[in-house]
Amino acid sequence: MKEINLQEQLVQQCISGNAKAQRMLYAQYSKAMYNICLRMLNNRMDAEDALQNAFIEVFRGIKSYKGKSTIGAWIKRIVINNNIDLLKKRKIYFEEIDDRLEVVDEVEHQTVSNYDISIVKHNIGSLPDGYRVVLSLYLLEGYDHKEIGEILGVTEATSKSQYSRAKKKLKNLIASDMHLREIS
């Protein structure tokens, strides 16, 4: 309860234009938001620019924050929307599928492997934009396929399809990477 009050006070100070409070809010959320930008955009310079642009939007629009979600969730939504806008400018490609086709969620029974996290991160970065964005939003940011479809302007079935294809491609990339490391 006390933390919520501190957050509310910080938000109110930001609304009042308090620069110190804005720096505090930025310091509190910038690292996590940068990581979202980097995962989605796959480019450090773009991620840094997107983060700065998102926080400019946060501070310009903080008066519209209604407190219906946490301030962190509100900021995250702005960051993701800015990233999506940037990716759309890049002409991100999503493979549309026929809505009549049923996308089957795979139930996988695999043993957990000891993958080096750097290998996984590297290979996520190697995915095509459409695959990487859907995989990041679903797996790492916790959105469901309906929400992803709404965010990206695609159908829920397309989101599921992109996610399924992203997982398959990621597994192949990791397997190939692991094989190359074994033989070298």
Side-chain angles (χ1 to χ4, degrees):
M1 186 82 158
K2 198 173 208 176
E3 184 175 324
I4 292 172
N5 290 335
L6 291 175
Q7 286 295 88
E8 288 174 7
Q9 289 175 3
L10 185 60
V11 169
Q12 287 305 314
Q13 290 172 352
C14 288
I15 289 171
S16 299
N18 182 316
K20 184 177 178 182
Q22 291 174 340
R23 282 191 299 276
M24 287 174 63
L25 190 69
Y26 179 84
Q28 187 173 359
Y29 291 101
S30 63
K31 185 175 181 180
M33 298 305 143
Y34 172 76
N35 288 331
I36 292 169
C37 293
L38 189 57
R39 283 192 299 267
M40 290 183 71
L41 301 174
N42 200 35
N43 178 294
R44 289 188 187 281
M45 290 179 63
D46 287 347
E48 290 168 4
D49 289 346
L51 179 69
Q52 297 308 314
N53 290 334
F55 269 95
I56 288 169
E57 188 174 326
V58 164
F59 294 126
R60 283 185 181 155
I62 198 156
K63 290 178 182 168
S64 69
Y65 172 67
K66 303 287 186 231
K68 293 179 182 176
S69 62
T70 65
I71 188 67
W74 185 76
I75 293 170
K76 180 179 176 181
R77 185 66 176 201
I78 290 171
V79 167
I80 288 172
N81 286 340
N82 276 307
N83 291 340
I84 298 300
D85 290 344
L86 184 59
L87 287 167
K88 285 179 180 177
K89 288 177 187 169
R90 283 190 197 165
K91 306 271 191 253
I92 187 172
Y93 176 70
F94 293 99
E95 293 179 26
E96 290 287 345
I97 63 168
D98 190 331
D99 286 339
R100 294 171 289 163
L101 297 176
E102 183 177 335
V103 178
V104 179
D105 285 343
E106 300 172 14
V107 178
E108 298 178 11
H109 302 284
Q110 291 183 320
T111 58
V112 176
S113 298
N114 291 328
Y115 292 137
D116 182 337
I117 193 70
S118 64
I119 293 171
V120 175
K121 282 183 176 180
H122 168 75
N123 286 297
I124 288 174
S126 298
L127 292 172
D129 286 345
Y131 288 2
R132 189 182 62 257
V133 169
V134 172
L135 183 92
S136 293
L137 289 174
Y138 185 80
L139 256 186
L140 306 173
E141 305 308 329
Y143 288 96
D144 64 32
H145 290 294
K146 183 177 181 188
E147 292 170 316
I148 294 169
E150 290 170 2
I151 291 168
L152 300 176
V154 298
T155 65
E156 184 176 347
T158 297
S159 175
K160 288 179 180 180
S161 172
Q162 293 287 294
Y163 176 69
S164 178
R165 292 174 185 184
K167 281 193 322 184
K168 183 177 180 180
K169 183 155 183 80
L170 182 59
K171 285 178 190 173
N172 290 337
L173 288 169
I174 291 170
S176 176
D177 205 351
M178 297 294 285
H179 178 70
L180 288 173
R181 289 174 189 254
E182 287 173 4
I183 61 174
S184 58

